[in-house]
Amino acid sequence: AIAPTAPTITSITDDAAPITGTIAPGGSTNDTSLLLTGSAEAASTVSIYNGSRLLGTTPADNTSGAWSYTLSDLSNGSTYAFNATATDAVGNISPASSPEYSVTVDTTAPTAPTITSITDDAAPITGTIAPGGSTNDTSLDLTGSAETASTVSIYNGSTLLGTTTADTTTGAWSYSATGLANGSTYAFNATATDAPGNISPASSPNYSVTVDTAAPAAPSITSITDDAAPSTGTIAPGGFTNDTSLLLTGTAEAASTVSIYNGSELLGTTTADNTGAWSYTANLSNGTTTYAFNATATDAPGNISPASSPNYSVTVDTTAPAAPTITSISDDAEPITGTITPGGFTNDTSLLLTGSAEAASSVSIYNGSTLLGTTTADNTTGAWSYSTTGLLGGSTYVFKAKATDAAGNISPASSPNYSVTVDTTAPATQPSPRLPMTPNPSPAPSPMVVSQTTPLSI
């Protein structure tokens, strides 16, 4: 008698979601009821075995020899070594199918995976985004860990974004989420599906990230303050200061990082408070430099505003002007008028002082150390004049001047002093001189007059 040839097991099929279809030899499944199909001698009886243990029989088709057999109630955690024999009508038994068709039944779900970090690589703020944080990056890199070789499914809430595969040794995985929408908050979570198709619980809690690609409005610089004497307070845009440590204040998007620039040169940063107010102290160089201050605001996701406009320009000038001069002091009180020489006298109690100083500077006029008043030097020539009034007779005035430039730098005093004595007291009236009195002399005897009209006769 001739035994049939060995039958074949051509496929074993899983119909338990999520992974269905043919199970590769040596594969695994979460299905405890498997469909085996194959071929054998037509009309033979096919016996299905797990190793040497008979599981059941099924007839081969009378014409084609095709056969199928459904196994049920397979045990979780068991590996089955399926093989088959064919018995013909007269009882001859074929050799067993070879090799065995091994399948492992695994119905245990993996543990929940983790999302360990979400990374932003869009400047200016890059690196790991804290859970609940925000980003200006619409393509984020998610990394985590899961059961080795499992398929990791990435979700936004319950919406599947995509899948990746955990490393076969370490279980580490990564996934790039692209095309994320501005203004949306994503609740990222992940599940792991093992080779048999068992699905883990979702990672918990969700890793929430808000995508914000909208730049803040431009901040403002509302004031720049000088606290270096003699001129203190707010400096007008385009103004001058002798202070090398200026306080800038302004407003920006609440909690944003405010970057302070001189033109395009970054000076430093500060943080706007919850109301948007901010302040920054700029430490500047000595000398004469014009600064074009402007500011930008960077929000938490890293979006950068336009720069504040226009620039708030301030010239820092720490160089004192040269000493001014008093070139003349004029008297217009009669009878003697005109320029009074230094050290001279005048009967005029209102004197006109003229001189020169740094153009546009403020000229302070002193009598010794006593300030009498101020005037302004011409914007072009530096010429200045000042009228002193109410000067006191009998007083000597020691006039000098100092120049203060727009930045508040004070020059040395003019030198030498220009001294003038005011004398309004007229001299005393002197009496006419008197001659000494002498006695009148006796009258001399009158001479005898001889008439010569008639000749004298003797």
Side-chain angles (χ1 to χ4, degrees):
I2 300 173
T5 57
T8 61
I9 302 175
T10 53
S11 69
I12 299 178
T13 305
D14 170 338
D15 65 358
I19 300 173
T20 59
T22 300
I23 305 166
S28 56
T29 180
N30 64 337
D31 195 350
T32 58
S33 297
L34 299 177
L35 176 65
L36 285 71
T37 58
S39 64
E41 182 176 292
S44 65
T45 297
V46 180
S47 299
I48 312 300
Y49 292 86
N50 172 26
S52 59
R53 177 171 165 268
L54 179 65
L55 299 177
T57 61
T58 188
D61 185 84
N62 290 336
T63 304
S64 65
W67 61 268
S68 65
Y69 181 80
T70 299
L71 290 166
S72 58
D73 298 326
L74 300 178
S75 299
N76 176 44
S78 298
T79 297
Y80 290 83
F82 295 113
N83 61 87
T85 62
T87 304
D88 62 15
V90 294
N92 299 303
I93 301 173
S94 75
S97 58
S98 181
E100 292 177 336
Y101 199 128
S102 295
V103 172
T104 298
V105 176
D106 177 2
T107 61
T108 303
T111 57
T114 61
I115 301 176
T116 53
S117 70
I118 298 180
T119 305
D120 170 339
D121 63 1
I125 299 174
T126 59
T128 301
I129 306 165
S134 54
T135 180
N136 64 336
D137 195 349
T138 57
S139 296
L140 298 177
D141 293 324
L142 287 72
T143 58
S145 62
E147 182 175 296
T148 57
S150 63
T151 298
V152 181
S153 299
I154 312 301
Y155 293 86
N156 170 30
S158 59
T159 301
L160 178 64
L161 300 179
T163 61
T164 188
T165 302
D167 185 85
T168 55
T169 304
T170 64
W173 61 266
S174 63
Y175 176 80
S176 291
T178 61
L180 304 179
N182 175 46
S184 298
T185 297
Y186 289 83
F188 293 109
N189 62 84
T191 61
T193 303
D194 62 15
N198 301 296
I199 302 174
S200 74
S203 58
S204 181
N206 290 337
Y207 199 127
S208 294
V209 172
T210 298
V211 175
D212 176 3
T213 61
S220 64
I221 302 175
T222 53
S223 69
I224 299 180
T225 305
D226 169 338
D227 63 359
S231 301
T232 60
T234 300
I235 306 165
F240 292 78
T241 180
N242 65 335
D243 194 350
T244 58
S245 184
L246 298 178
L247 178 64
L248 287 72
T249 59
T251 61
E253 181 174 295
S256 63
T257 297
V258 181
S259 300
I260 312 300
Y261 293 85
N262 169 32
S264 60
E265 177 193 1
L266 178 64
L267 300 179
T269 61
T270 188
T271 303
D273 68 17
N274 291 335
T275 69
W278 60 267
S279 64
Y280 177 80
T281 298
N283 294 309
L284 310 173
S285 300
N286 288 321
T288 303
T289 304
T290 297
Y291 291 85
F293 293 110
N294 63 83
T296 63
T298 304
D299 61 17
N303 301 297
I304 303 175
S305 75
S308 57
S309 181
N311 290 338
Y312 199 126
S313 295
V314 171
T315 298
V316 176
D317 177 3
T318 59
T319 303
T325 61
I326 302 175
T327 53
S328 69
I329 299 180
S330 298
D331 170 338
D332 63 359
E334 300 286 350
I336 301 171
T337 60
T339 300
I340 306 165
T341 59
F345 292 79
T346 180
N347 65 335
D348 195 348
T349 59
S350 296
L351 299 177
L352 177 65
L353 286 72
T354 59
S356 64
E358 182 176 293
S361 63
S362 176
V363 181
S364 299
I365 313 301
Y366 292 85
N367 170 30
S369 60
T370 302
L371 178 65
L372 300 178
T374 60
T375 188
T376 303
D378 185 84
N379 289 337
T380 305
T381 65
W384 60 267
S385 64
Y386 178 79
S387 293
T388 62
T389 59
L391 302 181
L392 301 176
S395 297
T396 296
Y397 289 85
V398 182
F399 293 111
K400 61 185 181 182
K402 294 180 181 180
T404 304
D405 63 17
N409 301 296
I410 303 174
S411 76
S414 57
S415 180
N417 295 332
Y418 200 126
S419 297
V420 172
T421 298
V422 177
D423 180 0
T424 58
T425 304
T429 301
Q430 296 295 321
S432 299
R434 296 176 63 122
L435 295 175
M437 296 181 65
T438 57
N440 290 328
S442 300
S446 297
M448 183 176 62
V449 177
V450 179
S451 173
Q452 294 185 13
T453 304
T454 302
L456 180 60
S457 298
I458 302 180

